Amino acid sequence: MKFTVFNGSPSGRNSNTNAITEAFLRGAARNGAETENIFLAEQKIGHCKGCFACWFRTPGRCVQDDDMAEFLRLYNESDVVCFATPVYTWNMTAYLKNFVDRLAPLKSPVIMEQNSRFDLADSKPKTQKFVVISNCGFPGEHNFEVMKAVFACCNPSLEIYRSCGKLMTGRDEKMQTIVAEYLSCVEQAGFELAARGDVSEKTRRGLEMQLLPVQDYVKYLRMERNH
């Protein structure tokens, strides 16, 4: 089984988002899964030109000669595809959005409708499971509404949304203990998904654990809260 993460954090390997991602992949690897963490900020991926050549002139292949050809192969060969991103202006980062736009060669010029929502048909049926990992530096439970709406289109098997995300790489010893407990739940989620293709309700509840009350987190950030 292969787990591939397409990581859209501009901070890459040192990011709060990646702290969560690495825990998830450790869990999958613990059950024998092959794992790969692609940092999109380090790759050469041009913007989609909207030329539609990948549908009509060279079906399944983009006219641009960049790293995306390899990543389309990895995407297709993976059993679990994970999109990882911090929240930037309510949504995914530009790195991840650009990557998602460049998935156009996997579509075909055939219009399909489901519940009055129109889309293009996949060129071949998807076999992957999809996972979303997203981190937000703000407190509160409503920072991911746009993200959830966007990724609903791929019907993810697991969504890990972490508010108070700046705690992930913080140095406060007391908070490190709480964060370690949370990351242990994330690792367990990766293990369970690799072992049985699903995540238990107990583990899902753990993924939603509160790290700090809102007011305490605002103090941790050393920022004022405007009521």
Side-chain angles (χ1 to χ4, degrees), residues 41-223:
E42 301 175 5
Q43 315 306 323
K44 180 185 175 184
I45 303 175
H47 296 284
C48 177
K49 297 179 180 298
C51 65
F52 310 123
C54 62
W55 300 342
F56 299 106
R57 289 206 333 255
T58 56
R61 183 167 58 85
C62 182
V63 296
Q64 299 185 67
D65 183 16
D66 60 12
D67 294 337
M68 197 63 198
E70 171 65 11
F71 298 148
L72 286 174
R73 183 188 66 78
L74 278 174
Y75 181 98
N76 281 325
E77 292 179 356
S78 297
D79 300 290
V80 175
V81 169
C82 177
F83 301 108
T85 178
V87 175
Y88 272 32
T89 319
W90 314 296
N91 204 340
M92 70 182 82
T93 63
Y95 284 113
L96 185 57
K97 180 60 168 66
N98 186 47
F99 172 81
V100 171
D101 287 347
R102 289 291 305 279
L103 295 176
L106 302 181
K107 293 289 187 178
S108 63
V110 176
I111 293 177
M112 56 178 288
E113 177 189 2
Q114 185 175 18
N115 299 324
S116 298
R117 187 175 68 85
F118 291 83
D119 197 356
L120 293 172
D122 295 321
S123 58
K124 60 181 181 180
K126 288 188 177 76
T127 58
Q128 309 98 323
K129 291 180 181 294
F130 293 95
V131 173
V132 179
I133 294 176
S134 186
N135 148 74
C136 183
F138 290 123
E141 304 304 319
H142 300 290
N143 301 309
F144 303 99
E145 301 306 311
V146 173
M147 200 84 69
K148 290 176 181 179
V150 169
F151 282 110
C153 299
C154 69
N155 190 28
S157 298
L158 176 66
E159 295 169 275
I160 301 175
Y161 296 118
R162 181 69 271 167
S163 58
C164 301
K166 284 191 175 294
L167 297 172
M168 293 299 105
T169 56
R171 297 183 179 181
D172 182 280
E173 290 187 7
K174 179 181 178 181
M175 286 312 309
Q176 285 178 346
T177 300
I178 297 172
V179 168
E181 180 185 353
Y182 168 71
L183 292 179
S184 178
C185 288
V186 176
E187 183 173 334
Q188 182 63 21
F191 176 82
E192 291 179 12
L193 193 63
R196 64 186 220 183
D198 197 6
V199 176
S200 68
E201 285 303 315
K202 178 182 178 181
T203 299
R204 289 177 187 268
R205 287 195 299 273
L207 295 174
E208 296 175 357
M209 68 180 287
Q210 184 184 61
L211 301 182
L212 269 182
V214 170
Q215 194 57 45
D216 291 343
Y217 183 68
V218 171
K219 289 179 181 178
Y220 175 87
L221 294 178
R222 297 181 181 178
M223 302 172 96

